Structure formats: C-alpha cells, structure tokens
Amino acid sequence: MSFKSDIQATRSTAGNTGTAVIAQPIRLRGIIIASDGTGAGLLELTTTSNSGDTLFIGDVPSGDVINFSFPEDGILFPKGIFVKTKTKVTAYTLLTDKYSGPGLTV
C-alpha cells in the first residue's frame, strides 16, 4: 500500500544563470517542458552547480509541451536543481516533494 505525499510545482523560465532553481536537496517527481515553437527544445538539469553532474535531459518537439512523471521515487538532486542547458524552451515546471511550509523539512 502506498501513501500520499505533498508535491510542489515550481515554474521557471531561467536558463544557465549559475543560480539554483531550487537550492536545497530535493527529489524531482515530474516535469513539464514547453517548447518555444522555433525548433526542437532541450532542457538539461544538473546538481551542485550549472556545470555539475547532469541528472536529467529532456527533449521537447517544436511547438509541443511534454509532461513526464518519473517512476518510483523520482530523481534525487542532492545539492539542488540547476539548469545547464535551456534551448528553444519557453518555460518549465518542476514537480518536486514539497520543500516549504510550516513544519516541513527536506
């Protein structure tokens, strides 16, 4: 039997800025990526820094939106989520474990 847990949606348009999209250790449960319509898009997520270890690469067809839920426990980003590459992507939404709110810890 499984249990329910809260998730948080973090929408961003940020690219390779050197700043974490989510700074603390976090588990990525799903992602939504929207193409800007000018060609096939690419989003590459890393941990530690925007030049850190790549843990996810998502491709999105031109003019499309993809929505993907990761199986099991998702992908653990032990030192936060950073963007290494964002090409032809308008925006993306990271679906993670809830990381803010009264009495919550990571």
Side-chain angles (χ1 to χ4, degrees), residues 38-49:
T38 64
L42 176 81
L43 183 68
E44 183 176 2
L45 303 178
T46 60
T47 192
T48 307
S49 71

Side-chain angles (χ1 to χ4, degrees), residues 23-100:
Q24 63 271 18
I26 196 79
R27 192 170 293 279
L28 184 64
R29 301 287 183 170
I31 191 164
I32 302 165
I33 307 171
S35 165
D36 68 3
T38 64
L42 176 81
L43 183 68
E44 183 176 2
L45 303 178
T46 60
T47 192
T48 307
S49 71
N50 58 350
S51 62
D53 293 335
T54 298
L55 299 182
F56 174 79
I57 298 175
D59 297 304
V60 59
S62 181
D64 208 351
V65 176
I66 62 162
N67 180 0
F68 187 76
S69 296
F70 297 104
E72 297 294 325
D73 290 331
I75 301 172
L76 178 62
F77 284 77
K79 296 186 180 179
I81 299 177
F82 295 79
V83 175
K84 181 174 185 176
T85 307
K86 178 184 150 261
T87 306
K88 299 188 181 196
V89 169
T90 299
Y92 51 93
T93 302
L94 306 175
L95 306 171
T96 62
D97 287 335
K98 189 161 183 171
Y99 61 89
S100 64

